[in-house]
Amino acid sequence: WLKRFGSSSTSRRDQPPRGSGCGMSSDRAMREALSLRLKNNVELRYFESCEVQLLYRRELVFDVVERRVYIAVGRFALWLIRDDMARAVRGGELKYQWIEKFVEDTGSRRRLLIVMKPEKPGDAPERLVVITERRNRLLERIATC
């Protein structure tokens, strides 16, 4: 996995997420619809359709779960919401205080690694690889929260 993350080769992981024609938005109606799926009706400031690889540590190896989700930027947390908008994914609330760092993949313009702190809840992933067409825009929106 680490070799793939830093590689400069073009693979499916570097391609735009399928069905991402309306990938990102600040559209108020859509933000409100997504926010209704979260506990306490959280105010969302930005969202984007993307693919994520959720890496969960299991002893000495990582279990990888790949999903299409909406990543939503709130005031105090990032949210991963299922692509059918039914609800947030398991462990999908990522409070900023639990995030250790964001790492941009220099071999791709679309990939971003999110590394979580050890103090995160048990159901949250250790790391997330986010594959999005608008990585820089997403990072800008997160930085302004």
Side-chain angles (χ1 to χ4, degrees), residues 98-116:
W98 301 333
I99 297 174
E100 184 174 327
K101 61 184 170 182
F102 295 90
V103 181
E104 294 180 64
D105 182 356
T106 57
S108 168
R109 293 186 310 188
R110 294 187 176 98
R111 288 189 289 184
L112 167 70
L113 174 67
I114 302 174
V115 180
M116 304 297 288

Side-chain angles (χ1 to χ4, degrees), residues 65-78:
V65 177
E66 294 186 18
R67 299 194 80 140
R68 289 217 32 84
V69 298
Y70 288 101
I71 188 166
V73 178
R75 186 171 175 193
F76 301 107
L78 294 177

Side-chain angles (χ1 to χ4, degrees), residues 31 34-50 52 54 69-82 87-96 98-99 114 128 130 138 142:
R31 282 185 296 144
L34 288 170
S35 118
L36 290 173
R37 301 300 179 200
L38 304 175
K39 62 183 179 184
N40 300 329
N41 203 8
V42 175
E43 177 190 347
L44 300 176
R45 298 172 179 217
Y46 178 83
F47 70 91
E48 186 166 325
S49 175
C50 64
V52 293
L54 306 168
V69 298
Y70 288 101
I71 188 166
V73 178
R75 186 171 175 193
F76 301 107
L78 294 177
W79 292 87
L80 302 177
I81 304 168
R82 291 172 35 142
R87 65 180 186 281
V89 300
R90 181 180 63 89
E93 179 184 14
L94 308 173
K95 291 187 179 181
Y96 296 125
W98 301 333
I99 297 174
I114 302 174
L128 298 87
V130 178
L138 177 62
I142 292 169

Side-chain angles (χ1 to χ4, degrees), residues 118-134:
E119 302 84 45
K120 66 166 184 58
D123 63 346
E126 295 275 329
R127 299 178 183 163
L128 298 87
V129 177
V130 178
I131 304 162
T132 176
E133 289 186 59
R134 296 170 184 89

